[in-house]
Amino acid sequence: MFDIKKFGAYTSKLRKKAEMTQSELAERLNMTRQAISKYECGDSFPNISILIEVADVFGITLDELISSGHPTDKEAAIHESAVEGQDLCSELDKQCISDIVNIAPLLKPSLLDKMAKGLAKHGIDISSIVSLAEYINDDTVVKLLEIATYDIINENLLERLIPFLDGNSISVIFQKILEGDFKSE
């Protein structure tokens, strides 16, 4: 699994090696010092455009920067396939879904939407949709919610999901709840 704490520590190490303060790095990236601090502490992860700029600032490749978090072989293969526009996870399983969720911050929404169609064919649970919701388009979220399994649904899961949903998505979830198509925790 991609570890953003390790990524943050690696970014901090690169910054210190370059004799830069968080404020100086933030200025070069047109960001706040607080955003850099969150990256370095592993509390958040930059989007792909910021990753490219960070790699440029430190004179390393994007792959080198991303690999600092030691992605699994499967995550690395999925990311490489995504970059090359190839099919991802030809045989989808729970581990593959987990790997896709882990690298979702690095992929464009249109690519994730294509991947979501594959996930829909093989089944996806509500918790995976929650993890992907902030990265995929609203229409795709609705389609996934319609076919998702609702094995376990709880207040925390709903709290994380609701901000990313439109009216149709919320209706789908509540209809599933009313039908009793879930187990509560």
Side-chain angles (χ1 to χ4, degrees):
M1 180 182 299
F2 186 81
D3 187 339
I4 65 171
K5 297 281 186 198
K6 288 181 183 177
F7 169 83
Y10 184 69
T11 304
S12 176
K13 180 181 172 182
L14 290 170
R15 178 183 56 77
K16 291 172 186 175
K17 186 178 177 185
E19 286 290 314
M20 295 176 77
T21 66
Q22 287 182 337
S23 294
E24 289 171 329
L25 179 58
E27 189 175 315
R28 295 221 19 212
L29 299 172
N30 291 325
M31 303 180 79
T32 65
R33 184 205 55 77
Q34 291 83 357
I36 300 301
S37 177
K38 284 184 177 186
Y39 296 156
E40 291 184 0
C41 291
D43 293 334
S44 72
F45 189 77
N47 67 33
I48 191 71
S49 63
I50 300 297
L51 286 171
I52 292 168
E53 290 182 44
V54 170
D56 287 345
V57 165
F58 297 122
I60 60 175
T61 66
L62 184 58
D63 285 340
E64 185 178 347
L65 180 63
I66 292 171
S67 69
S68 65
H70 306 290
T72 65
D73 291 341
K74 187 80 169 185
E75 288 170 353
I78 291 170
H79 186 260
E80 188 173 317
S81 295
V83 169
E84 295 173 2
Q86 298 174 356
D87 286 341
L88 306 163
C89 285
S90 55
E91 293 182 22
L92 289 171
D93 57 19
K94 291 234 183 240
Q95 182 57 47
C96 183
I97 291 170
S98 173
D99 292 332
I100 291 170
V101 168
N102 289 337
I103 65 167
L106 305 174
L107 303 175
K108 291 185 178 190
S110 59
L111 180 58
L112 281 167
D113 286 349
K114 290 177 187 174
M115 293 169 62
K117 290 177 185 171
L119 295 174
K121 290 178 187 174
H122 298 281
I124 187 169
D125 65 30
I126 186 73
S127 62
S128 296
I129 296 171
V130 169
S131 300
L132 289 171
E134 66 182 290
Y135 306 109
I136 58 179
N137 293 314
D138 293 345
D139 291 342
T140 303
V141 172
V142 172
K143 289 174 187 170
L144 289 176
L145 288 171
E146 289 172 348
I147 56 93
T149 59
Y150 288 71
D151 292 337
I152 294 180
I153 193 163
N154 59 39
E155 185 177 322
N156 182 41
L157 200 63
L158 288 173
E159 282 179 16
R160 288 179 47 215
L161 183 61
I162 294 294
F164 299 104
L165 301 179
D166 62 9
N168 291 335
S169 303
I170 293 170
S171 295
V172 168
I173 288 177
F174 285 116
Q175 185 62 40
K176 293 278 187 174
I177 290 171
L178 291 172
E179 292 169 1
D181 194 13
F182 69 95
K183 298 175 192 168
S184 64
E185 235 177 51

